[in-house]
Amino acid sequence: MNAKYLAHLTVLCSSVLLLASTNASAAYSIAPEQIDDQQIYFGNAKSFEKPAAVDYTAIVKATPEYEEIKKKKIDSGSARYWILMSDASSHAVKAISEVGEESNHDLIVSIGYLGKITPQIPAEDVTKKVLEKLEPAKKSGKAKNK
C-alpha cells in the first residue's frame, strides 16, 4: 500500500469512528437510582434515543376487559374483578409494546415520568397510537390474541 492510500484510509476510519461516537453520545439514559420499572412499558431505560410516553390509565380503560368490568358492574372486591384487571393490564402493555416495535420509539414510559427525572427528557405522547391499536379488540369485544 502506498502512503497516500493509507492516509486516506486513516482519515476515513477516523471519520467513521467520530460519527459512531457522536451518535452513541446522543443517546439518553436514566440514572439507575431514578429508574422506576413500574413506569417503563417498553425499551431499555439505560440507553435510548427516541422516547415516548403514554397515558397508561387511559389505555387500560380502553381495553375490552375493563369495559366488561364497567358494563357488568363487577365488584372490585371480587376475584373476577382482579382477573379482568390483570388481563386489562397485560392487554395494555402488549398494545404499548406493539406500538414500540412498529415505531421508531425505543422507550415508552408513563406520561410525566421523564419530566420528573434529572435531567428532564422530552417524549412524544403516543397514547392515541396505542388506543388505535386497541380498536379491533374493542369492536370485537374480545382481547386480542387471548
Side-chain angles (χ1 to χ4, degrees):
M1 289 193 203
N2 67 30
K4 187 176 180 182
Y5 175 75
L6 283 174
H8 286 292
L9 185 59
T10 302
V11 169
L12 177 63
C13 288
S14 298
S15 297
V16 168
L17 288 173
L18 179 63
L19 284 173
S21 67
T22 302
N23 285 339
S25 67
Y28 296 105
S29 67
I30 299 173
E33 65 275 5
Q34 294 185 75
I35 292 176
D36 181 352
D37 291 330
Q38 297 296 312
Q39 296 196 57
I40 300 168
Y41 306 112
F42 176 80
N44 182 354
K46 294 178 183 175
S47 179
F48 55 95
E49 294 181 17
K50 185 132 168 93
V54 294
D55 181 344
Y56 180 74
T57 301
I59 304 299
V60 169
K61 287 182 175 183
T63 64
E65 297 86 358
Y66 187 85
E67 288 182 1
E68 181 179 339
I69 289 170
K70 290 301 172 192
K71 181 179 176 184
K72 294 182 179 178
K73 298 178 183 171
I74 298 172
D75 181 44
S76 64
S78 70
R80 181 74 182 141
Y81 173 89
W82 290 108
I83 290 169
L84 286 169
M85 283 302 292
S86 176
D87 290 346
S89 177
S90 294
H91 196 168
V93 171
K94 183 176 184 213
I96 292 166
S97 294
E98 287 175 2
V99 167
E101 290 169 4
E102 294 169 3
S103 71
N104 57 352
H105 296 288
D106 53 357
L107 182 75
I108 302 179
V109 300
S110 182
I111 281 197
Y113 173 58
L114 296 176
K116 294 176 185 171
I117 63 169
T118 305
Q120 293 182 351
I121 300 171
E124 179 185 344
D125 184 346
V126 293
T127 302
K128 184 177 177 182
K129 290 179 184 178
V130 178
L131 291 171
E132 289 169 357
K133 180 72 60 187
L134 291 173
E135 281 303 312
K138 281 180 69 174
K139 288 179 183 172
S140 71
K142 297 180 192 173
K144 204 168 136 183
N145 297 328
K146 282 197 74 178

